[in-house]
C-alpha cells in the first residue's frame, strides 16, 4: 500500500515585506513605519501580530509617519497601541518621531510641526540629540477626559475592586488618571492598573499613573498604559502627573520625572500654558516585517 501525500502549498503573502525602524524613548518601545511615500493600511489584527513579543517584532506602540495633511504642518503622526487601538498622542513616540524623520532625511528642520488625531504638537531637535516637545495644553474637566463625574474637582473618589481610590484626571490629547502613592515600588500597578484602565467611568478607557512625590521638583512614576499594560516610560503620563501634582499644590513648575526606564524633564507654567517635555530618543535597529503566509486555499 503506497501512502499518498497531498501537499497543499501555503500561498505567498499578500503584501511585500515592510521596512521598519525599532526605536525607544526610555524603554517605551516602538516600531516606526514610513508612510510618507505610499500609504500603509493596517488592520488591528495586523498590528497585534506585529506587536507580539514572540511571534512578531514586539513593541508598546506602532508609529506611522505620514505626509503633512496641510501646508502648515510638516508630517502626520498616527499612533497604535499593541492591542491595535489607534490613539491620540504618544509623548515618547513624538521624540522618536523627530529622530526618525531626521535619520531618514525626510526633513532637515530642527522645529517640526506634527499633526496627530488630537491636534498639532511641535518638536525641537536639540544639539545634544535630546528632543523637546511642546505637548500642548492639558485639559482637566471631566467631559474633556472623558470621565464620568457629577462636577469638576481636583481629586475624585472612585470605587474600584473592593476599595475606593482618590485620583486626578488629565487629558494630554489622551486620557490619564493619576494616583498618589507612598512608594511606586509597592504600588498595586498590576492589579489596580487594569481595573482602572477599563473602569466604566472612563468610557474611552484610560492610562493610569502611580506617582510618588519625592520633592516639589522630583517624582517617581509608573504607568499602566491603556491598550498596552505597564511600560518602562510614558511621556504623556509624565506630563499628566506633573499637571495633576501642580494643581494639587504638591509640585512646582519644573519637575524631573523618574520613570523605570529613566528621567524626563517636564515643565508646566500653570493654567493656560502648554506642557513641555524633554528627553532622549534611541534608534535600535532597522528591520523588514514579513507578512504571514496565507493559509492553504480551502
Ligand atoms: N497608551 C497610550 C498611548 C501611548 C502613550 C505613551 N507611550 C507616551 O509616551 O505618551 C494611550 O492609549 O493613550
Amino acid at each position: 500500500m503506497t501512502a499518498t501525500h497531498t501537499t497543499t502549498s501555503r500561498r505567498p503573502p499578500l503584501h511585500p515585506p515592510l521596512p521598519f525602524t525599532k526605536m525607544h524613548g526610555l524603554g517605551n518601545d516602538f516600531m516606526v513605519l514610513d508612510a510618507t511615500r505610499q500609504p500603509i493600511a493596517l488592520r488591528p489584527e495586523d498590528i497585534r501580530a506585529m506587536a507580539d513579543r514572540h511571534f512578531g517584532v514586539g513593541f508598546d506602540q506602532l508609529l506611522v509617519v505620514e505626509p503633512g495633511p496641510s501646508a502648515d504642518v510638516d508630517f502626520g503622526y498616527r499612533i497604535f497601541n499593541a492591542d491595535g487601538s489607534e490613539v491620540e498622542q504618544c509623548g515618547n513616540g513624538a521624540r522618536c518621531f523627530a529622530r526618525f524623520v531626521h535619520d531618514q532625511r525626510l526633513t532637515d528642520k530642527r522645529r517640526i510641526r506634527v499633526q496627530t488625531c488630537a491636534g498639532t504638537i511641535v518638536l525641537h531637535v536639540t544639539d545634544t540629540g535630546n528632543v523637546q516637545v511642546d505637548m500642548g495644553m492639558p485639559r482637566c474637566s471631566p467631559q474633556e477626559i472623558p470621565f464620568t463625574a457629577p462636577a469638576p474637582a481636583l481629586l475624585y473618589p472612585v470605587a474600584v475592586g473592593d476599595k475606593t481610590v482618590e485620583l486626578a484626571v488629565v487629558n494630554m490629547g489622551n486620557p490619564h488618571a493619576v494616583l498618589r502613592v507612598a512608594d511606586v515600588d509597592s504600588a498595586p500597578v498590576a492589579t489596580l492598573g487594569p481595573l482602572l484602565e477599563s473602569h466604566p467611568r472612563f468610557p474611552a478607557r484610560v492610562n493610569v499613573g502611580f506617582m510618588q512625590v519625592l520633592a516639589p521638583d522630583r517624582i517617581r512614576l509608573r504607568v499602566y498604559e491603556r491598550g498596552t499594560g505597564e511600560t518602562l516610560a510614558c511621556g504623556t503620563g509624565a506630563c499628566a502627573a506633573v499637571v495633576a501634582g501642580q494643581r494639587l499644590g504638591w509640585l512646582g513648575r519644573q519637575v524631573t520625572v523618574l520613570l523605570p526606564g529613566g528621567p524626563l524633564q517636564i515643565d508646566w507654567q500653570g493654567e493656560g500654558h502648554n506642557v513641555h517635555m524633554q528627553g532622549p530618543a534611541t534608534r535600535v535597529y532597522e528591520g523588514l516585517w514579513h507578512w504571514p503566509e496565507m493559509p492553504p486555499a480551502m
Side-chain angles (χ1 to χ4, degrees):
M1 163 71 104
T2 54
T4 55
H5 293 276
T6 53
T7 54
T8 49
S9 64
R10 297 182 69 79
R11 291 179 293 164
L14 276 179
H15 309 290
L18 197 56
F20 69 86
T21 299
K22 188 72 176 17
M23 304 185 78
H24 73 83
L26 299 178
N28 180 198
D29 66 334
F30 310 107
M31 178 179 184
V32 189
L33 299 178
D34 178 357
T36 57
R37 299 176 181 87
Q38 62 180 18
I40 299 175
L42 295 170
R43 302 166 304 171
E45 53 267 38
D46 299 327
I47 295 167
R48 287 192 290 271
M50 293 167 162
D52 190 290
R53 292 195 182 279
H54 299 284
F55 298 100
V57 172
F59 55 74
D60 292 328
Q61 280 88 29
L62 170 71
L63 312 180
V64 182
V65 181
E66 296 184 330
S70 60
D72 63 339
V73 289
D74 300 299
F75 295 99
Y77 171 30
R78 295 181 72 183
I79 305 134
F80 300 86
N81 283 320
D83 70 355
S85 57
E86 182 164 8
V87 293
E88 311 89 342
Q89 192 52 273
C90 178
N92 289 322
R95 299 197 314 276
C96 289
F97 187 106
R99 172 78 194 266
F100 178 84
V101 295
H102 265 251
D103 291 347
Q104 300 293 323
R105 309 242 185 294
L106 296 174
T107 183
D108 57 4
K109 288 183 177 180
R110 287 296 191 100
R111 184 179 183 278
I112 307 165
R113 291 177 58 81
V114 173
Q115 176 83 34
T116 76
C117 64
T120 302
I121 56 174
V122 182
L123 318 177
H124 294 263
V125 182
T126 69
D127 294 334
T128 64
N130 265 358
V131 180
Q132 297 167 342
V133 185
D134 175 345
M135 294 293 293
M137 189 89 66
R139 290 170 291 147
C140 299
S141 63
Q143 67 273 16
E144 291 177 306
I145 304 305
F147 173 61
T148 308
L154 291 177
L155 279 173
Y156 300 89
V158 173
V160 57
D162 58 357
K163 62 177 71 167
T164 295
V165 296
E166 295 248 297
L167 54 81
V169 293
V170 181
N171 184 294
M172 286 304 306
N174 57 351
H176 287 268
V178 181
L179 293 80
R180 184 170 180 176
V181 296
D183 177 358
V184 289
D185 293 331
S186 59
V189 177
T191 51
L192 212 46
L195 288 175
L196 283 171
E197 181 212 12
S198 55
H199 195 282
R201 290 181 64 180
F202 291 99
R205 298 189 296 167
V206 72
N207 300 283
V208 188
F210 298 80
M211 166 172 69
Q212 176 185 350
V213 178
L214 301 174
D217 65 349
R218 197 172 181 79
I219 64 173
R220 295 180 70 201
L221 181 70
R222 290 173 65 185
V223 182
Y224 187 91
E225 287 199 29
R226 175 179 63 169
T228 297
E230 182 174 7
T231 57
L232 290 177
C234 180
T236 51
C239 296
V242 170
V243 168
Q246 202 177 116
R247 283 164 48 91
L248 284 155
W250 304 333
L251 296 179
R253 295 189 163 184
Q254 295 182 328
V255 180
T256 299
V257 179
L258 303 172
L259 295 138
L264 277 178
Q265 301 304 325
I266 306 297
D267 183 330
W268 186 49
Q269 298 301 307
E271 300 295 342
H273 293 271
N274 291 358
V275 185
H276 296 265
M277 166 185 64
Q278 177 165 212
T282 307
R283 185 178 50 182
V284 183
Y285 64 86
E286 322 290 339
L288 269 184
W289 166 257
H290 289 269
W291 297 92
E293 292 170 340
M294 303 296 290
M298 303 310 281

